[in-house]
Amino acid sequence: MHPSSPTLRTFAKVWGALMVLLLLTILASQFDLGRLSLAVALAIAVTKAALIVMFFMHVRYGSREVLVFAGAAYLWLAILLVGVLYDYASRNWLPGR
């Protein structure tokens, strides 16, 4: 086994963190946070996705190139998400406008 490869203990810790984030997601859905609901949900989802990409997809243990391309993909996803949310927020048919 390569010295920088993940151990079973690492996977168990990441799985535990994902379960805690799942509980956080469930708790956050129980409360009406108003305008912050979307931001909280997205922050939790991005954190879960980052853990999955970094550990279960072995990006953390890959070469620099793998890290750069994974980062570029994440950046592209963020650009698309911001564009969609901006389009949705700029519509005049939303309730309360």
Side-chain angles (χ1 to χ4, degrees):
M1 187 186 297
H2 192 269
S4 66
S5 57
T7 62
L8 188 57
R9 180 183 214 130
T10 303
F11 284 132
K13 286 180 181 179
V14 173
W15 181 81
L18 288 169
M19 292 302 108
V20 168
L21 288 166
L22 173 65
L23 290 174
L24 229 138
T25 302
I26 294 168
L27 278 173
S29 71
Q30 300 300 314
F31 298 103
D32 182 21
L33 302 173
R35 296 181 145 255
L36 284 178
S37 293
L38 180 62
V40 169
L42 284 175
I44 295 170
V46 165
T47 305
K48 288 191 286 189
L51 282 172
I52 291 168
V53 168
M54 294 302 284
F55 292 96
F56 291 115
M57 295 176 70
H58 299 279
V59 169
R60 182 168 191 256
Y61 303 101
S63 66
R64 275 280 203 232
E65 289 175 332
V66 171
L67 189 60
V68 167
F69 281 104
Y74 232 113
L75 178 64
W76 183 245
L77 178 64
I79 290 169
L80 290 174
L81 190 60
V82 166
V84 167
L85 291 175
Y86 178 76
D87 178 54
Y88 182 76
S90 67
R91 306 239 172 177
N92 61 3
W93 51 262
L94 292 175
R97 286 192 177 222

